[in-house]
């Protein structure tokens, strides 16, 4: 059997981007910040809420006991339970998922088991919120560790987006809106439910990395411009692939007067970008792509579109996590593939296709530190709770937010990814 990322990090903590990743994630539940693996630039949400503390008995349980409990609870709960797992989850957890997929697929998967009483989402907070909005009102959605957030999602808060929107509305007030709106708000799935609701209220839409180009086409049929948040890289990469010149994709900064741009730049803009980024994908560089090509002539390089534009340009292909999976599945024995995305997924693909050479572009082992917080201990504790009739770590999006957010999410579900 191949070695999981967790086993690698535990055996040699110094090989990872932060040696503290080898600790149990409960160590970080109550400390400010994102803990190991996060970028120093990551915005820390305020007030800092870390209510995911795991009972000590579960912190101290052996791996064997945790896995025995998870298996037993799954057996007892049967079809009353569905477990969804994102590709970036650790092997120790993803093995229990009934569906494994990218964000778009998991949003759809949340709809496919309407009879299940509970959806346990092994992913991050915005994914569980989305599942709660899309699920039937009677269904419970659980995020096993409430501290599993997404640092990028926290880089766009509702107040800043509202403030930027008001400035833009003032600037575009004289435009003829009869045929096309001045701006269509597009939020990446990696955002709070409140921002999805903002998009629902303002004629906007949600996108994922798999359907971003379909969504931008949808938006340009309805508006002159798009305000894209929080991920500047996905917005820029998607706009560029559609032929939008870089100079027409300025960054807006809600903290600066005039959004940090001169008015003419904002009037000429096609895609207004928000300055958010993913600390995992920001680590990938053009130098790593060049190194892979030098070390492995003929290597195929595929990266996630959350990577900076020069990295996407230097790669042979880019796409969502499921597009990366399909790229590998379509390759041939003997192929060499370098991947620019989260290491748990890359290592899993390498183990699944042992007749190919598959490796992560980043030589340092750096998982998504927040996805990593779904340790088997949290899964065992929440499943044991269900067996005992207690719903632990439930995610509930208030109705007034969920109603508007669902409008933007339904538009997203109708915008099918190309080539999937
Ligand atoms: P996917 O939609 O491609 O699964 O990406 C989600 C994500 O958070 C990537 O960082
Ligand atoms: Fe968020 Fe990046 Fe982790 Fe994806 S990989 S969940 S964008 S922090």
């Amino acid at each position: 059997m191949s070695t999981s990322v967790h086993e690698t990090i535990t055996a040699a903590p110094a090989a990872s981007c932060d040696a503290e990743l080898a600790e149990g994630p409960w160590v970080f539940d109550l400390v400010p910040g994102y803990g190991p693996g996060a970028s120093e630039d990551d915005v820390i949400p305020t007030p800092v809420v870390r209510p995911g503390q795991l009972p000590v008995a579960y912190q101290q349980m052996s791996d064997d006991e945790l896995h025995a409990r998870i298996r037993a609870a799954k057996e007892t709960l049967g079809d009353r339970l569905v477990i969804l797992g994102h590709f970036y989850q650790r092997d120790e957890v993803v093995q229990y998922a009934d569906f494994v997929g990218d964000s778009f697929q998991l949003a759809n998967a949340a709809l496919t088991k309407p009879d299940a009483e509970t959806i346990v989402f092994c992913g991050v907070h915005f994914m569980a919120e989305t599942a709660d909005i899309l699920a039937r009102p009677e269904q419970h959605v659980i995020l096993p560790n409430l501290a599993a957030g997404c640092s990028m999602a926290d880089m766009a808060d509702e107040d800043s987006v509202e403030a930027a929107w008001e400035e833009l509305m003032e600037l575009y007030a004289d435009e003829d809106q009869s045929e096309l709106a001045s701006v269509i708000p597009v939020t990446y799935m990696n955002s709070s439910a409140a921002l999805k609701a903002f998009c629902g209220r303002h004629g906007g839409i949600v996108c994922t990395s798999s359907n971003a180009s379909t969504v931008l086409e949808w938006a340009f049929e309805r508006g002159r411009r798009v305000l894209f948040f929080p991920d500047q890289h996905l917005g820029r990469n998607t706009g560029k692939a559609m032929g939008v010149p870089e100079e027409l994709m300025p960054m807006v900064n809600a903290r600066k007067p005039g959004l940090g741009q001169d008015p003419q730049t904002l009037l000429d803009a096609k895609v207004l970008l928000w300055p958010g980024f993913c600390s995992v994908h920001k680590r990938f560089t053009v130098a790593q792509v060049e190194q892979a090509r030098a070390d492995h002539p003929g290597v195929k390089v595929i990266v996630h579109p959350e990577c900076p534009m020069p990295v996407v340009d230097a790669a042979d292909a880019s796409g969502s996590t499921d597009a990366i999976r399909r790229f590998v599945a379509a390759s041939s024995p003997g192929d060499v593939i370098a991947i620019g995305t989260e290491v748990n997924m890359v290592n899993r693909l390498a183990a699944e296709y042992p007749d190919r050479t598959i490796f992560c572009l980043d030589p340092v082992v750096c998982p998504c530190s927040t996805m990593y917080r779904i340790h088997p201990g949290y899964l065992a504790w929440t499943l044991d709770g269900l067996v005992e009739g207690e719903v632990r770590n439930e995610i509930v999006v208030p109705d007034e937010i969920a109603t508007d957010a669902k409008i933007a999410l339904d538009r997203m579900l109708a915008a099918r990814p190309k080539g999937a």
Side-chain angles (χ1 to χ4, degrees):
M1 226 185 104
S2 61
T3 312
S4 73
V5 167
H6 183 66
E7 285 164 338
T8 308
I9 291 176
T10 314
S16 73
C17 56
D18 193 319
E20 286 180 320
L21 279 166
E23 306 273 349
W26 40 86
V27 172
F28 307 104
D29 286 357
L30 298 176
V31 296
Y34 286 100
S39 156
E40 281 174 13
D41 302 332
D42 285 2
V43 175
I44 305 304
T46 44
V48 177
V49 183
R50 290 282 180 262
Q53 192 70 346
L54 185 70
V56 174
Y58 284 84
Q59 294 178 23
Q60 293 174 347
M61 261 175 217
S62 69
D63 287 350
D64 284 349
E65 183 167 357
L66 290 175
H67 289 289
R69 279 175 179 265
I70 294 168
R71 278 193 294 272
K74 269 198 79 157
E75 178 82 28
T76 306
L77 295 163
D79 289 344
R80 290 156 54 204
L81 166 74
V82 59
I83 301 183
L84 306 182
H86 189 266
F87 285 125
Y88 293 168
Q89 285 295 304
R90 22 163 111 212
D91 290 352
E92 299 82 10
V93 164
V94 90
Q95 63 179 315
Y96 297 113
D98 300 298
F99 291 94
V100 182
D102 67 14
S103 319
F104 186 84
Q105 293 169 320
L106 293 175
N108 276 290
L111 295 164
T112 58
K113 295 273 185 183
D115 296 334
E117 286 166 21
T118 309
I119 298 171
V120 172
F121 213 122
C122 297
V124 287
H125 191 263
F126 68 81
M127 298 179 182
E129 275 191 336
T130 299
D132 182 56
I133 294 164
L134 295 175
R136 280 187 310 107
E138 301 77 25
Q139 286 181 299
H140 301 289
V141 175
I142 286 176
L143 180 64
N145 183 352
L146 293 178
C150 163
S151 50
M152 178 209 282
D154 290 329
M155 290 178 192
D157 64 277
E158 202 188 352
D159 288 348
S160 308
V161 172
E162 290 273 9
W165 184 257
E166 272 172 34
E167 282 210 44
L168 292 172
M169 289 300 104
E170 227 170 273
L171 183 69
Y172 301 141
D174 294 338
E175 283 183 347
D176 174 12
Q177 313 256 347
S178 56
E179 303 261 314
L180 291 174
S182 289
V183 202
I184 300 289
V186 177
T187 189
Y188 188 23
M189 178 69 125
N190 302 31
S191 59
S192 67
L195 286 183
K196 293 181 175 82
F198 174 90
C199 288
R201 281 197 301 278
H202 293 285
I205 186 167
V206 180
C207 80
T208 72
S209 58
S210 66
N211 71 351
S213 59
T214 315
V215 164
L216 283 201
E217 282 165 16
W218 181 96
F220 283 124
E221 280 163 19
R222 290 159 177 80
R224 294 168 202 269
R225 315 171 183 80
V226 163
L227 172 62
F228 192 98
F229 42 88
D231 186 18
Q232 57 172 294
H233 299 297
L234 179 65
R236 192 178 291 115
N237 288 322
T238 311
K240 185 172 181 198
M242 292 173 71
V244 181
E246 257 183 86
E247 61 275 17
L248 300 189
M249 297 192 279
M251 195 111 84
V252 295
N253 188 332
R255 295 200 186 100
K256 291 194 177 160
L259 303 177
Q261 295 288 354
D262 68 86
Q264 195 56 48
T265 304
L266 298 176
L267 285 164
D268 293 342
K270 294 297 288 174
V271 181
L272 299 152
L273 297 170
W274 198 260
F277 60 87
C278 164
S279 48
V280 177
H281 290 92
K282 184 178 98 150
R283 292 176 58 87
F284 296 106
T285 62
V286 173
Q288 290 168 352
V289 177
E290 287 167 353
Q291 191 64 52
R293 295 205 194 281
D295 293 346
H296 304 275
V299 65
K300 293 174 184 159
V301 180
I302 182 163
V303 301
H304 195 279
E306 286 176 14
C307 292
M309 190 173 73
V311 178
V312 171
D313 289 349
D316 299 301
S318 70
S320 73
T321 49
D322 190 59
I324 293 172
R325 181 197 63 75
R326 283 184 279 115
F327 184 89
V328 171
S331 66
S332 306
D335 280 352
V336 183
I337 304 171
I339 302 180
T341 201
E342 207 268 355
V343 65
N344 276 289
M345 176 173 178
V346 178
N347 285 9
R348 197 169 308 125
L349 286 169
E352 218 178 302
Y353 295 91
D355 56 0
R356 283 144 240 215
T357 303
I358 296 171
F359 60 95
C360 186
L361 270 178
D362 186 353
V364 175
V365 182
C366 190
C368 168
S369 64
T370 46
M371 289 263 181
Y372 209 60
R373 290 184 177 168
I374 310 287
H375 179 278
Y378 292 91
L379 185 57
W381 176 61
T382 47
L383 293 187
D384 279 352
L386 288 176
V387 171
E388 292 157 21
E390 189 187 332
V391 182
R392 297 172 176 155
N393 286 2
E394 183 169 14
I395 298 292
V396 181
V397 179
D399 284 349
E400 63 276 16
I401 293 176
T403 306
D404 289 341
K406 189 166 182 308
I407 296 170
L409 280 167
D410 284 342
R411 290 177 183 145
M412 177 202 84
L413 292 173
R416 307 303 298 179
K418 290 179 183 157

